Amino acid sequence: MDNSGMYVGLDIGTTSIKVIVAENVKGQMNVIGVGNERSNGVSRGVIVDIDKAAEAILRAIRQAEEKASIEIHDVIVGIPANMLKIETCSGMIAIDDQSREITGRDVRNVAAAALIQSLPPEREIVDILADEFVVDGFDGIKDPRGMVGVRLELHGTLFTGPKTIMHNTRKAVEQAGLAIRGTVIDPMAQGMMVMNDGEQDFGTILVDLGGGQATAAVIHDHQLKYIDVDQEGGQFITKDISVVLNTSLDSAEKLKRDYGYADSTQASDEDEFPVDVVGQSQPTPISEKYLAEIIEARLDQILKRLRANLDKVQALELPGGIVLTGGVAALPGITELATDEFGTNVRVYVPDQMGLRHPSFTLALALVNYFGGLNEIDLLIKSALTGSTQLADETDEIRQREAEAAPQSDASVEPQPHSQTNDKKAKPKKKSRTERVKKFFSDFFD
């Protein structure tokens, strides 16, 4: 399936809102625009003021539009892992009284059957992933379309989260004048991008050190298995610096970024810098080591809590170790501090795209990479969340036309020059097919 198209990722963070506009051409994601604005109305990863959050989103979108020279109408939104629950699910439908070929509508219907869950009123289904399909008892099937059977089953993974998070996110995005093309759970998108195939297979821990909170996610067998969210992040480090040094929050944030070290043993006790202290007319000199000790104290608390919860599920025994990302991961010495705390191999992921070489851009970039890599089966399953059959009908029509056209292309025993011409003319249909499939998600929550 050709995934050529335009994708816009929206990362609604506690300290900043990031927008990335990317074009997927033959599997290669090319970033053509970036927006980065200070966040407002967001606390610990959750929108708490819809109006302020919508204004901040709109500012970031306008910035990305200007750089990409396009108008943005729909976005792929990241959903934080706060209070996220992971559980197995299954669904089963009867295809017909007699055997017939399984269609895209059947795939959507069996996914809808798997979504029938008894949930508390405060929770909502966030996403569903298919692990396998079973056709008449034959399991391990990834794409059942075109197969013949009378019974279709789906075994998958269901993700549920608080309704408040989902509602506030939708409302803020819509209030900013945008449509939600799709939603992706933050650590799921990040894990698929920052880890290689071996790390996802054998098991690796992703630790996202964000501004409002820290999230640890375990990826094993290419699936999100465990989530732990610590309600402290980079903002708390900034507040500690502000309180201890008696300086403003803006000044404390600048000190953290310009002179901060995560590991105090790497900071110098001789190198000093001026700090504007409240109530004093002259700046006060502070050493790098003293600032690093303030930063390390808070980071040490965060990492210790994460380790305690990861130990409970024996996640630190996984061979892949830990991958750090998020804005706080940019602090010098973070790798050494985390290695000492977790007792396993640690590396920091930094995007390699020009202009995005900072860990804080990982999530926004991961959103477009993840959604751009979805195949038709993934999209059909996601369409079950909306209750619409439009996507299934369209893909069935396309497959039927392709099947009808197949005998004509096979009829010629010897390839002729005009056959190559016809093949080249047929390629635009493939692009049109993708556009129709992906366009469905422009009205994801409508």
Side-chain angles (χ1 to χ4, degrees), residues 1-7 23-26 376 398 402 424-439:
M1 176 177 174
D2 184 8
N3 280 340
S4 298
M6 202 76 71
Y7 301 88
E23 186 177 15
N24 192 340
V25 181
K26 297 180 180 179
E376 282 185 3
I398 293 168
E402 290 176 346
K424 291 180 180 178
K425 290 180 179 178
K427 286 185 179 179
K429 289 184 179 179
K430 194 172 184 182
K431 183 178 180 181
S432 175
R433 165 189 177 189
T434 300
E435 291 173 351
R436 293 175 65 185
V437 171
K438 294 292 187 180
K439 179 63 178 173

Side-chain angles (χ1 to χ4, degrees), residues 166-366:
M166 297 297 293
H167 172 80
N168 291 0
T169 301
R170 293 190 199 110
K171 195 73 176 176
V173 172
E174 290 169 358
Q175 198 162 306
L178 302 165
I180 295 182
R181 185 176 183 179
T183 58
V184 183
I185 299 170
D186 291 348
M188 186 185 300
Q190 289 176 302
M192 298 304 130
M193 186 180 77
V194 308
M195 299 177 192
N196 60 39
D197 188 70
E199 288 174 329
Q200 293 182 46
D201 188 16
F202 288 96
T204 304
I205 303 167
L206 170 73
V207 176
D208 182 2
L209 299 173
Q213 59 189 22
T215 304
V218 178
I219 308 289
H220 188 214
D221 291 334
H222 295 267
Q223 295 178 344
L224 182 61
K225 298 288 190 179
Y226 174 79
I227 290 287
D228 178 44
V229 178
D230 188 88
Q231 295 298 320
E232 291 185 5
Q235 271 190 336
F236 287 80
I237 298 173
T238 303
K239 289 178 181 177
D240 289 345
I241 296 171
S242 174
V243 171
V244 175
L245 300 184
N246 198 22
T247 188
S248 67
L249 286 173
D250 288 340
S251 176
E253 180 67 23
K254 191 174 186 303
L255 292 172
K256 182 181 72 175
R257 293 183 178 181
D258 294 346
Y259 305 103
Y261 280 83
D263 186 355
S264 61
T265 61
Q266 296 187 19
S268 171
D269 203 10
E270 298 177 355
D271 293 340
E272 296 182 339
F273 48 84
V275 176
D276 294 325
V277 178
V278 175
Q280 295 185 14
S281 57
Q282 297 296 325
T284 300
I286 298 295
S287 70
E288 276 186 358
K289 191 172 186 64
Y290 185 46
L291 175 64
E293 288 171 349
I294 300 171
I295 295 172
E296 184 180 355
R298 176 64 67 171
L299 270 175
D300 192 55
Q301 292 178 14
I302 295 171
L303 298 181
K304 270 185 168 58
R305 287 193 294 266
L306 289 176
R307 173 172 183 160
N309 291 326
L310 290 170
D311 275 336
K312 291 178 183 178
V313 295
Q314 299 177 329
L316 291 171
E317 297 178 8
L318 295 171
I322 289 176
V323 181
L324 295 177
T325 191
V328 180
L331 285 171
I334 189 68
T335 303
E336 291 76 10
L337 182 67
T339 301
D340 291 341
E341 184 57 51
F342 292 114
T344 186
N345 56 303
V346 177
R347 68 178 176 89
V348 175
Y349 177 83
V350 180
D352 57 3
Q353 282 80 358
M354 186 69 71
L356 303 177
R357 290 170 182 166
H358 192 279
S360 61
F361 285 100
T362 301
L363 176 55
L365 187 60

